[in-house]
Amino acid sequence: MNAPRIGVLALQGDTREHLAALREAGAEASTVRRRGELESVDALVIPGGESTAMSHLLREFELLEPLRARLADGMPAYGSCAGMILMASEILDAGAPGRAALALGAIDMTVRRNAFGRQVDSFEGELEFGGITGPMHAVFIRAPWVERVGPQVEVLARADGHVVAVRQGRTLATAFHPEMTGDRRVHRLFVDIVTGRA
């Protein structure tokens, strides 16, 4: 089977780390900044960064509606941190009106921005991740958490009792940054989701 073509939304955030992780996990990875690039990939990673800035840039680059359409059509997607926020159906503390983070509605969940606190409250820890054997070291930076999940959403991990990783069909989201640790198991899981092996 050919390697899946997975794009990384490269408007703002930690693009390079996700590209490297996806390649190590067996994907053909490329950046996505334009509509044609979005249309050429099999799946998309929405990286960490700043969710309101990413929302603004999605509008500026005229990617918002094409991205919503691809997600509605079932394109596999994985969002980490800010990406998790954008993939939600509802965002709490979305930001100032006109500059608020936009809910793409890819996963039926309510996410609270910066739920674990500000930059100085960032932390690391070990957690159990459903479907992955052994503990996972997780890096949380101004991380969100999930306050509500819909009936089709599978909770994969919790930290301090809060939901921090979910899956709904071919979409995946984590509140933490697996691309920063050298552990490629989450990216391998996503590649398997894209190829239909998971």
Side-chain angles (χ1 to χ4, degrees), residues 38-43 65-76:
L38 176 63
E39 290 168 353
S40 74
V41 296
D42 302 316
E65 293 312 318
L67 176 54
R68 279 194 169 133
R70 291 266 350 242
L71 291 169
D73 284 344
M75 176 184 67

Side-chain angles (χ1 to χ4, degrees), residues 92-109:
L92 304 178
D93 301 325
R99 292 277 305 170
L102 296 164
L104 295 171
I107 298 178
D108 182 10
M109 63 180 174

Side-chain angles (χ1 to χ4, degrees), residues 13 24 55 59 62 71 79 96 128 136 141 148 171 181 185:
E24 288 177 37
S55 294
R59 288 192 197 99
E62 298 181 349
L71 291 169
E128 298 298 319
M136 178 168 292
I141 302 171
R148 178 202 62 84
T171 55
T181 65
R185 290 178 292 171

Side-chain angles (χ1 to χ4, degrees), residues 26-186:
E28 181 186 312
S30 60
T31 56
V32 170
R33 290 187 189 89
R34 292 176 175 78
R35 184 172 185 161
E37 293 166 339
L38 176 63
E39 290 168 353
S40 74
V41 296
D42 302 316
L44 185 71
V45 171
I46 305 175
E50 212 292 310
S51 56
T52 55
M54 289 171 77
S55 294
H56 173 72
L57 290 166
L58 280 169
R59 288 192 197 99
E60 287 291 308
F61 281 75
E62 298 181 349
L63 276 173
L64 180 60
E65 293 312 318
L67 176 54
R68 279 194 169 133
R70 291 266 350 242
L71 291 169
D73 284 344
M75 176 184 67
Y78 164 49
S80 68
C81 199
M84 171 186 254
I85 295 166
L86 295 178
M87 288 180 67
S89 53
E90 181 184 18
I91 303 168
L92 304 178
D93 301 325
R99 292 277 305 170
L102 296 164
L104 295 171
I107 298 178
D108 182 10
M109 63 180 174
T110 301
V111 173
R112 184 174 296 279
R113 289 176 76 235
N114 303 331
F116 284 104
R118 299 176 308 174
Q119 193 83 17
V120 295
D121 302 308
S122 299
F123 66 98
E124 300 182 26
E126 306 296 312
L127 50 81
E128 298 298 319
F129 194 104
I132 292 177
T133 304
M136 178 168 292
H137 188 74
V139 177
F140 293 86
I141 302 171
R142 290 179 61 203
W145 67 47
V146 179
E147 297 210 347
R148 178 202 62 84
V149 295
Q152 305 301 313
V153 179
E154 178 186 3
V155 173
L156 298 175
R158 296 177 188 269
D160 295 332
H162 300 289
V163 175
V164 295
V166 295
R167 177 180 177 180
Q168 181 177 344
R170 301 179 79 199
T171 55
L172 182 69
T174 62
F176 55 92
H177 293 266
E179 73 282 2
M180 292 184 166
T181 65
D183 184 337
R184 301 308 186 215
R185 290 178 292 171
V186 171

